[in-house]
Every structure is written in structure tokens, then in C-alpha cells.
Amino acid sequence: MQTLNVGIIGTGNIAPAYIKGCAPFDVINITACADILADRAQAFAAEHGLVAYSVVDLLARDDIDIVVNLTLPATHAEVSLQIIEAGKHAYCEKPLAINRADGESVIRAAKAAGLRMGCAPDTFLGGGGQTARKAIDDGLIGQPIAATATWLSHGHESWHPNAGFYYLEGGGPMLDMGPYYVTALINLMGPVARVSGAARMTFAERIATSEALMGQRLPVEVNTHVAGTLEFESGAIATVIMSFDVWGHNLPLIEIHGSEGSLSVPDPNRFDGAVSLVKGGTRDWVDFPLTHSTNIGRGAGVADMATAIQSGRPHRASGDLALHALDIMLALEESSELGRHIEIKSTVEQPLALPAGLADDALDM
């Protein structure tokens, strides 16, 4: 299989994880980077053995096949459109966009150009997420009936060197952390038909305590606590809570409850973690042996897309999946504002499950 060359636009906090996560896969090779801050791009290139370009020059390169968009959420759609207009396959960090119209325009542009659009998160491809998927597909908990998904913290201003954007348009716990949880639920139980939600903005500003921003006041423009229910096309119902307002909790990350048992699913922001199972008529949770590799990282979705480009199959961390997740997340907050259920107009095919037993650096054709 041919190796496709990859360029990165945006060399901020998440970029090193993509360098590490893409490295094991022979189907992709990161060769170049760009950033709106030229000095930062140059430093990143020197550290990782890449060539630094301006964004315009990187997009003009004939020897780059895929461009990974690691810019801030508010510019995701704009930069993805530039990548597609340059004739490159695009892969974007989550979320796909910060509104439906922009997300839909990106998907339309890619399809019209005959190009692939991929989007994080790809963590559901890890051993934890795929083992849980196999357990459900194999009928170990029967028909999924209900689920819970919770991510609660007191925000990112205590550690992130550039935390301000998390509290501006395009930020908030739902668009920041929600993609991991909503995408994991779609992977496990399929598309969502209807949602209802409640949301609030608790504090008008945040005081940063990270080393880089110590003492700075960060204005808040978004909801910082969002709770709701997702009604799946299958009939299953999930309860979801995403919050930047909680100091501590003992809630599970994800649990799936079926007609014959329940499944505890590990952190969907990671590729590893234990999967536990309790069968009907018993009380004890038992760890379920992992059926898939945990030794992969961010960038597995890029490699899966590169493989799919050449084999013709659908790629798993797709733009369509990201658009459906975005639609769901936005609808939860709209439901709170409007005081009613929101029907989800988008849909998506449940991503193909990964075959069990693949090597760490291998993907199926």
C-alpha cells in the first residue's frame, strides 16, 4: 500500500500527540507543518524533523496528500475548506465546526471534490472502545436499552496554557469534551433521533491558575454545564452530562445497560482502559478481556482514512460521523433554550467495527 504524505496546520498543544500517534503507521508520513505563528511552526518543525511552510505554501505542495487541521475550534471549518479547495484530503481536530451550517458546508465541499473529510475523535478505535463494541455486537448484554455518559471537572484554566478559548464561542464542555462521549455512544449504539437538554452558564468569568496565565480573568460566553437525554434510532436512551462546574464526582464515565447485562466502558478520551461486564442475575462486575490493541494514539483516524482512500471502504472517524455528533451536541443546548425536544435531522451509519487481533500498526483494508 502506498504511503501518503501528511501536512499539519496548527502546531499548538495537541500537535505533538499527532506526531507520536501517526508514527507507527506505514500508510502515512508527516512531512510538513504550518502555523499562523511562523516562529512556532519553525520550532515545531525543527523538533520533529519536518519542513515548516506558510499555510498557503503548504497547501500548494503537490507532494502532500492529506492535511490535518489542528487550529482552534472557531477556525476549523474555514481551514478545512481551504484544505479541500487546495485538492487535499482533510482531517480535522474536533469539533468539525462550531455550527451546523459550517459543518455541512465542509462535508458538501469534500463530497463535491471527491475528497475524504475525516475528524477527531478517533479514540473510539482504541482497545477499550472496540472491545466494548465487540461485546455489544456479540450480544453479551442483549439489546442496549440505556446508557450514561458523564464528564465533569472545574474547567481547564488550572492547567491549560491557552485556556481562554474554552470559554468563548465554540468552547464549553459540550463542544470540547462532548465529542469523545457522543462519538463513543454512536460507535456503540448507532445514530441518535431526538434529544432534550438543560444548560447553564454558572460563572461570568474564570480566574486562571495555570503557570502561563496565572491570575488572568477569562470571560465566559458559553454554557458551562449541560445535561440531557439522547434517544437513539434503536430506541435506547442515554443520559449525558458535560460540565466545567464540578469540583469532584464518583459518577461512571460510560455505562451501557442492556436487556441481559451491563457494560462499563473506559474513558473515551483514551485508547486504553478496562471493560467490565455484569450479567443479568449476578451482582459482580467482571473485567472483560480486551480484544483490540490499546497501543495506538491520536492519528489512528488519519491512518484509517489513508487506508480507506486506497481501498475504497468508508473511513471510520469520518466527517459524516463528526457532523452527526455536532448536530446532537448543539441540539442539547438548543433544547434548553427552546424548552422542547429537538429532532435530529442528520444521521450516519454506525462506524465499521475494527476486526479483532490486528497488529498495533495495522488497519484492515
Side-chain angles (χ1 to χ4, degrees):
M1 182 166 286
Q2 181 184 355
T3 297
L4 301 185
N5 289 330
V6 177
I8 290 176
I9 297 178
T11 56
N13 206 49
I14 194 64
Y18 275 83
I19 296 291
K20 181 179 179 181
C22 288
F25 296 99
D26 292 337
V27 73
I28 50 175
N29 179 36
I30 300 177
T31 62
C33 67
D35 195 285
I36 194 171
L37 302 175
D39 290 348
R40 187 164 71 174
Q42 291 285 354
F44 188 82
E47 181 178 357
H48 297 288
L50 310 178
V51 180
Y53 297 100
S54 69
V55 172
V56 171
D57 288 344
L58 186 147
L59 293 178
R61 299 287 305 182
D62 291 333
D63 56 352
I64 293 178
D65 306 292
I66 299 171
V67 178
V68 177
N69 176 4
L70 303 182
T71 60
L72 294 179
T75 63
H76 279 178
E78 176 186 355
V79 174
S80 292
L81 284 171
Q82 291 174 1
I83 295 167
I84 294 163
E85 289 166 2
K88 316 292 187 188
H89 302 286
Y91 186 95
C92 184
E93 193 28 54
K94 52 79 187 170
L96 177 68
I98 63 173
N99 60 65
R100 287 187 191 85
D102 285 350
E104 290 166 353
S105 69
V106 169
I107 300 303
R108 281 197 306 270
K111 291 180 178 179
L115 296 167
R116 297 290 184 119
M117 181 69 219
C119 189
D122 56 2
T123 44
F124 70 94
L125 300 177
Q130 289 297 311
T131 297
R133 169 69 181 272
K134 181 169 173 54
I136 293 172
D137 288 353
D138 288 350
L140 296 186
I141 64 167
Q143 179 67 30
I145 296 169
T148 58
T150 56
W151 186 89
L152 302 96
S153 82
H154 214 268
H156 297 335
E157 64 271 20
S158 65
W159 64 271
H160 199 283
N162 184 30
F165 75 89
Y166 287 110
Y167 298 100
L168 303 179
E169 183 183 10
M174 185 54 73
L175 287 188
D176 176 42
M177 296 305 298
Y180 298 106
Y181 289 77
V182 173
T183 302
L185 291 174
I186 297 168
N187 172 58
L188 297 171
M189 299 196 298
V192 172
R194 188 172 77 153
V195 309
S196 60
R200 62 176 287 170
M201 182 182 75
T202 303
F203 305 102
E205 66 178 13
R206 300 290 181 122
I207 308 299
T209 55
S210 66
E211 182 178 354
L213 301 177
M214 179 64 70
Q216 290 190 27
R217 296 179 178 272
L218 309 177
V220 179
E221 300 177 353
V222 295
N223 290 316
T224 50
H225 186 96
V226 183
T229 57
L230 314 182
E231 299 176 43
F232 289 78
E233 291 182 11
S234 67
I237 298 172
T239 301
V240 176
I241 309 172
M242 299 287 129
S243 184
F244 282 166
D245 294 339
V246 174
W247 289 109
H249 70 93
N250 291 312
L251 296 172
L253 298 175
I254 296 181
E255 288 183 353
I256 312 294
H257 305 286
S259 57
E260 298 177 22
S262 295
L263 198 66
S264 176
V265 182
D267 186 350
N269 191 17
R270 297 177 59 89
F271 291 84
D272 56 6
V275 176
S276 299
L277 175 71
V278 61
K279 295 291 286 183
T282 68
R283 292 181 177 272
D284 295 330
W285 289 86
V286 177
D287 283 351
F288 186 75
L290 293 182
T291 57
H292 292 70
S293 173
T294 61
N295 193 28
I296 59 173
R298 282 170 170 80
V302 182
D304 181 69
M305 189 173 79
T307 304
I309 288 167
Q310 299 181 72
S311 71
R313 67 161 169 80
H315 57 290
R316 294 174 170 90
S318 69
D320 288 334
L321 175 59
L323 181 61
H324 187 54
L326 177 66
D327 196 5
I328 293 163
M329 293 185 292
L330 294 175
L332 283 166
E333 300 197 48
E334 291 164 357
S335 172
S336 178
E337 182 179 351
L338 297 173
R340 61 175 176 84
H341 287 89
I342 301 291
E343 303 290 332
I344 302 300
K345 295 181 179 179
S346 67
T347 191
V348 70
E349 292 290 330
Q350 192 175 12
L352 295 171
L354 275 172
L358 289 174
D360 294 346
D361 58 352
L363 291 159
D364 57 315
M365 293 292 291

